[in-house]
Amino acid sequence: MYRTALRNVLAHKARLLMTTLAVLLGTAFVAGTLVFTDTLSAAWRSQSAKSYTDIAVTVSDNGAVGKGYDHGGKHSEGPSLTEDTRKAIAALPGAAEARGVVSGFAGIADHNGALIGDGFSTTGTNYVPGTDGNDPRYPLADGRGPRAAGEIALDARTAEKGGFKVGDTVRVAVNGPVMELKLTGTLHANDPRIRAGGSLAAFDTATAQQLYLSPGQYSEIDVKGRPGTEDTALLSAVKQTVPASDGIETRTGRDLAAEQERMIDDATKGMSTVLLVFAGISLFVGIFIIANTFTMLIAQRTKELALLRAVGASRKQITLSVLAEALLVGLSASLGGLVAGIGIASGLQALLNGPWDANLPDGPLVIAPGTVIGSLAVGAVVTVLAALLPSLRAARIAPVAAMSSAEQPATQKSLLVRNIIGLLFASAGAAGLVAGAAAKSVNLVGLASAALMIGVFVLTPLLSRPVIALFAPLLRRLYGTPGKLARENAVRNPRRTAATASALTIGVTLITTLTVVGASVNKASDEAFAADLKADYAVAMSNYSMLAPEVAARIAKAPGVTAMSVERDLPVETAADGDTSWLTSVDAATYDRLVELKVTAGSADALKQGKLIATTGYAERNNLELGSTLDVTYPDRTRGSLTVGALVEGTSGVAGLIAPEHVVGPHAAPGSGLQKVLVKGADGATPALKQALRDASGGNPLITVKGEKDIKAENSRNVTAVLNVMYGLLGMSVLVAVLGVVNTMAMSVFERRREIGMLRAIGLDRRGIGRMVRLESLMIALFGGVVGVLLGIVTAWAAVRTIAGALKNITLVVPPVQIGLFLVAAAVIGLLAALWPARRAARMDILGAIKSE
């Protein structure tokens, strides 16, 4: 029987081609993901380890408030890391060197004033020369390190991007106006953020302290040990030397390296998990193709299987024979997928470091044993499981009945059982979606969506007849006999049609869900912004760090500004339970002109009266009402009482509490900056006002000036970027679905070759035969597309209801253009998939087809 299985695989190579390709593509996705993420993780770990090679112990001041990059956090109570502390550590017997480090953000502008890189990876630090005049952390590529105010060094990649050479003037900014500094040198950096496309700006230590902390203060001290000194012994000595403070943390370099490795592993595992989910979707789509293929093969080999039963083969042997065929196909396809996956990982690495300029760390491909075993196992198991039901059906064929019929139709009982199971799953899924949407439970909605999808898949044979019947009148009117024959062929075997269409339905469902949710989120965000904000522009840092307070003073004097207000988020401790709440301080006199305050109780003039405004949601959670007194402890550790003077509906962009800046601002932590500045102009949002605000911010490339159109466009770009990535990852499953349609149509043509020959003999020409096959494929693809669109809209509705609490006034938005394009794409897929089968059918020899069995 196993020799028979091998012979059958070799005899039906062409018919198994699409199945093999489907498994190969899915396995290649899995293998490529594992190899790429393993390679990336190993390269990152190797690169990161270089940052800690000469660090035995590091002392960090987590409570130090840095200008321009703190988030209103509490200032540490107790002494900070100073030059005296660094000298004391350097004098320890086991310490060879103690290097004080200062760090923050630094935006570098190109020659056009635009930011180089993105705001989140613009690193600023101090250059600490050793005895040879060089900083071992940042080897020089050219020139020298900065030695005084007015000088700067950049990483070599950023200098190349900006077109800077040693001696040029570089425009750099932190959280205030731009500084023009002389470029003294270029550096190499091992920091993963910089290697991944960020930028590094190195100042002399005094300048860095002035920009980010205070004179003589460090955010970190790195200690190099003397030869023979144990890290743990040096750690104990350093702990006794540094000042006692809750914000100061002392650790060994090995611990830091290990933590960095864990973070890298977590990040790459997260990436791997996401990619494997989409690989799983592709393999799941492949299951329909595999099951369909083996079902059709078994139907075509009914007499052969019956003969085996007649000469003594048992049902078990027939089942195992079919499963052995599936195993051979799965293993061979998985082996090809593994090789293809390794090639994909290698090509992706070259692409990211080449044309896409992602600047990932170089390293050899990592092909772990688990990747090889896992890839082969996944492909083989998926193929065997998909072939299980067809193999059981083959074993149940009675020898005598099989030898008298080319294919046994499904019994009414089996169809009834299938429909009942489908109805149960669909009903449970629909009920779960409604319950999950009402309870805003993401997990319940996810499970219910899966149940509904399974139920619809099981019911697709039942649904195929009425849905495809909708196309019948149009097909008869436009294409006559070929159209009528195409409709009859499409519904002749509803199980086969359903299996083929379901593969496409999965991709269309997911794509439709993403599109509808994205459109709903976009509209809700736009409406919330338009409803909440009356200001013409918002000025803020692009990396969401703090804006320097002096920028607000400059903006107030800018031409065309009629009203402005700061927004500063402060953490305060409530006297009731000591928990931290976030409070937004604003300019009391102008805030109501810049933000739409929907007052439900009290007066909008509460801020002008020095009182507190609370959102209704915050008030309900904390048992506050109009006139309540809230005792708070401010970041500077002083205490005060605030009276609730108004309750308002939730406002986007601010905390649950809003207070006057003149009341709470003086109690902010030292060095605390602003979240944003809201501005209203005399003539509205004009280019002249926007330029005036940019000029007032000193031309800082990190500072953005955004109006309503800018913010809406940015939101739309962000959502579109996420959708495009998702579409790209789902593209593999759609490609596999296309293979399924090609496979079904090709095998259907082979199966019906006598019928096609008879049609040719009675007068249907080659063009009519080809048109019949193409229209049949078109209807199957459209059936899958229509079901997928409907499923996607229902799933998106539940998802939108689930996130309604987080995004105010979100409603379901079904974009008609995109939905129409998805259906057109399904139709195009159906037509393209039928090109080869239709051509084959049209060129079939009439007499040879009629004589075939």
Side-chain angles (χ1 to χ4, degrees):
M1 293 302 295
Y2 293 115
R3 286 198 298 270
T4 301
L6 177 60
R7 185 200 65 194
N8 286 330
V9 171
L10 296 176
H12 301 107
K13 295 188 294 292
R15 299 183 215 176
L16 290 168
L17 176 62
M18 296 302 169
T19 296
T20 303
L21 281 176
V23 179
L24 186 149
L25 289 174
T27 311
F29 202 157
V30 172
T33 294
L34 294 175
V35 172
F36 178 71
T37 52
D38 286 348
T39 300
L40 187 62
S41 177
W44 277 129
R45 288 198 303 269
S46 175
Q47 192 73 55
S48 176
K50 296 177 182 178
S51 302
Y52 301 101
T53 52
D54 64 341
I55 297 178
V57 175
T58 183
V59 186
S60 55
D61 187 356
N62 298 322
V65 177
K67 302 172 186 175
Y69 61 95
D70 71 287
H71 289 268
K74 300 173 187 174
H75 188 57
S76 61
E77 295 184 55
S80 57
L81 299 180
T82 64
E83 177 63 17
D84 290 338
T85 307
R86 189 198 67 78
K87 290 179 179 179
I89 293 174
L92 291 173
E97 179 187 353
R99 183 171 53 235
V101 177
V102 182
S103 59
F105 292 110
I108 298 115
D110 61 18
H111 292 294
N112 296 320
L115 179 68
I116 299 177
D118 65 80
F120 294 97
S121 55
T122 54
T123 303
T125 189
N126 60 323
Y127 190 82
V128 187
T131 54
D132 60 352
N134 298 322
D135 190 331
R137 297 175 301 165
Y138 308 116
L140 284 168
D142 190 19
R144 61 170 177 81
R147 297 172 183 168
E151 296 183 344
I152 191 174
L154 301 177
D155 67 282
R157 186 167 173 270
T158 298
E160 181 181 357
K161 274 186 174 183
F164 297 120
K165 296 180 180 178
V166 173
D168 287 351
T169 298
V170 180
R171 303 177 75 244
V172 185
V174 179
N175 64 341
V178 164
M179 302 172 289
E180 294 189 351
L181 308 175
K182 179 181 178 182
L183 181 64
T184 62
T186 57
L187 316 167
H188 295 297
N190 293 323
D191 189 325
R193 292 177 302 171
I194 299 166
R195 296 282 299 177
S199 61
L200 173 70
F203 309 91
D204 68 284
T205 297
T207 300
Q209 289 173 334
Q210 183 65 36
L211 289 173
Y212 298 119
L213 297 169
S214 299
Q217 186 180 1
Y218 298 105
S219 53
E220 182 179 306
I221 297 176
D222 295 331
V223 188
K224 181 178 180 180
R226 292 183 182 276
T229 303
E230 289 290 335
D231 291 355
T232 52
L234 184 57
L235 177 67
S236 299
V238 171
K239 282 184 175 180
Q240 296 175 9
T241 306
V242 298
S245 172
D246 292 337
I248 293 179
E249 183 179 18
T250 308
R251 305 174 67 184
T252 64
R254 284 182 297 182
D255 288 343
L256 285 174
E259 181 182 1
Q260 188 75 16
E261 285 192 9
R262 285 193 297 271
M263 293 172 62
I264 291 171
D265 287 341
D266 289 343
T268 51
K269 282 178 183 176
M271 181 194 306
S272 177
T273 300
V274 171
L275 294 175
L276 288 175
V277 166
F278 286 93
I281 293 172
S282 299
L283 287 170
F284 183 63
V285 172
I287 287 176
F288 292 92
I289 300 174
I290 299 164
N292 219 11
T293 300
F294 276 93
T295 298
M296 297 175 75
L297 283 175
I298 288 167
Q300 294 169 9
R301 288 162 39 201
T302 302
K303 291 186 177 181
E304 174 191 330
L305 293 172
L307 183 60
L308 288 173
R309 290 293 313 280
V311 298
S314 66
R315 288 187 173 185
K316 181 178 180 181
Q317 286 178 312
I318 295 293
T319 299
L320 292 177
S321 173
V322 176
L323 292 179
E325 293 179 41
L327 180 62
L328 289 172
V329 172
L331 285 174
S332 58
S334 299
L335 185 60
L338 175 63
V339 174
I342 295 172
I344 289 171
S346 178
L348 186 59
Q349 186 182 32
L351 190 64
L352 289 171
N353 280 331
W356 290 357
D357 197 25
N359 202 37
L360 297 176
D362 294 324
L365 285 178
V366 177
I367 306 172
T371 299
V372 176
I373 296 172
S375 300
L376 295 177
V378 164
V381 169
V382 166
T383 310
V384 170
L385 288 178
L388 183 59
L389 284 177
S391 69
L392 293 175
R393 291 196 194 103
R396 286 198 296 265
I397 298 175
V400 175
M403 295 185 71
S404 62
S405 175
E407 182 177 357
Q408 284 190 320
T411 64
Q412 290 297 320
K413 180 180 178 181
S414 67
L415 290 174
L416 179 62
V417 171
R418 175 174 181 149
N419 291 338
I420 290 174
I421 293 174
L423 284 171
L424 289 174
F425 268 97
S427 300
L433 280 181
V434 173
K440 295 181 172 51
S441 170
V442 176
N443 293 333
L444 182 55
V445 167
L447 291 173
S449 300
L452 178 61
M453 191 176 292
I454 291 172
V456 171
F457 288 164
V458 175
L459 288 172
T460 41
L462 182 65
L463 298 173
S464 61
R465 287 184 179 273
V467 174
I468 291 178
L470 297 175
F471 306 117
L474 181 63
L475 291 176
R476 279 198 300 268
R477 188 176 300 114
L478 293 178
Y479 302 106
T481 299
K484 181 179 179 181
L485 290 172
R487 187 263 177 190
E488 295 298 328
N489 289 333
V491 298
R492 176 189 298 182
N493 191 328
R495 288 191 176 190
R496 182 185 304 167
T497 297
T500 306
S502 295
L504 186 60
T505 297
I506 296 171
V508 176
T509 298
L510 295 174
I511 289 172
T512 301
T513 301
L514 291 171
T515 302
V516 173
V517 171
S520 303
V521 169
N522 253 342
K523 183 181 179 183
S525 299
D526 289 348
E527 289 181 349
F529 178 84
D532 290 343
L533 208 61
K534 293 192 276 186
D536 294 320
Y537 289 105
V539 182
M541 298 288 286
S542 61
N543 54 14
Y544 300 104
S545 59
M546 299 297 100
L547 195 65
E550 53 266 28
V551 173
R554 290 171 175 263
I555 288 174
K557 299 176 183 178
V561 174
T562 58
M564 58 84 65
S565 173
V566 303
E567 282 190 0
R568 184 204 304 262
D569 287 348
L570 301 175
V572 294
E573 293 180 9
T574 57
D577 50 17
D579 287 346
T580 298
S581 296
W582 285 92
L583 179 152
T584 301
S585 68
V586 299
D587 289 332
T590 57
Y591 194 63
D592 58 347
R593 296 174 58 190
L594 300 162
V595 173
E596 185 68 41
L597 294 174
K598 298 176 182 178
V599 180
T600 59
S603 170
D605 291 334
L607 293 174
K608 298 174 183 177
Q609 299 165 7
K611 295 181 180 179
L612 186 70
I613 289 180
T615 61
T616 53
Y618 182 91
E620 290 174 3
R621 291 192 302 270
N622 295 274
N623 298 317
L624 292 179
E625 58 185 19
L626 195 64
S628 295
T629 299
L630 189 66
D631 295 326
V632 298
T633 301
Y634 294 111
D636 65 354
R637 311 315 298 164
T638 62
R639 297 180 180 180
S641 295
L642 297 170
T643 301
V644 178
L647 299 177
V648 298
E649 293 182 9
T651 303
S652 60
V654 300
L657 298 172
I658 308 172
E661 168 69 14
H662 70 271
V663 173
V664 301
H667 302 293
S672 178
L674 310 173
Q675 259 64 37
K676 66 179 70 169
V677 178
L678 303 178
V679 179
K680 194 168 187 63
D683 300 319
T686 63
L689 177 60
K690 191 172 188 178
Q691 186 58 50
L693 296 176
R694 285 176 175 164
D695 294 339
S697 64
N700 187 332
L702 279 171
I703 295 178
T704 61
V705 181
K706 297 178 183 177
E708 180 178 350
K709 291 181 180 179
D710 301 317
I711 295 176
K712 287 182 177 179
E714 183 179 29
N715 290 338
S716 179
R717 282 196 302 270
N718 292 338
V719 173
T720 302
V722 173
L723 290 179
N724 288 339
V725 172
M726 295 295 186
Y727 292 158
L729 293 173
L730 287 171
M732 183 67 75
S733 64
V734 175
L735 177 58
V736 173
V738 172
L739 295 179
V741 179
V742 174
N743 186 59
T744 297
M745 298 310 303
M747 295 188 72
S748 178
V749 166
F750 177 83
E751 204 174 63
R752 304 200 311 256
R753 57 194 184 281
R754 176 182 287 183
E755 174 189 320
I756 292 172
M758 292 296 295
L759 290 172
R760 289 292 314 282
I762 62 176
L764 191 62
D765 59 10
R766 289 186 172 182
R767 178 178 296 179
I769 292 292
R771 181 173 292 171
M772 176 188 72
V773 175
R774 288 192 296 272
L775 290 176
E776 179 184 351
S777 177
L778 172 66
M779 282 187 287
I780 292 174
L782 277 175
F783 169 56
V786 168
V787 174
V789 164
L790 294 176
L791 267 177
I793 292 173
V794 171
T795 305
W797 169 82
V800 166
R801 295 296 304 164
T802 302
I803 61 178
L807 194 56
K808 186 174 61 174
N809 297 327
I810 186 171
T811 56
L812 186 71
V813 177
V814 181
V817 175
Q818 287 94 322
I819 297 300
L821 288 175
F822 295 156
L823 292 176
V824 170
V828 171
I829 285 172
L831 291 174
L832 292 177
L835 288 179
W836 175 61
R839 180 182 177 85
R840 182 182 177 189
R843 291 177 174 271
M844 194 175 291
D845 178 69
I846 298 176
L847 294 179
I850 293 174
K851 290 190 298 182
S852 65
E853 296 185 5

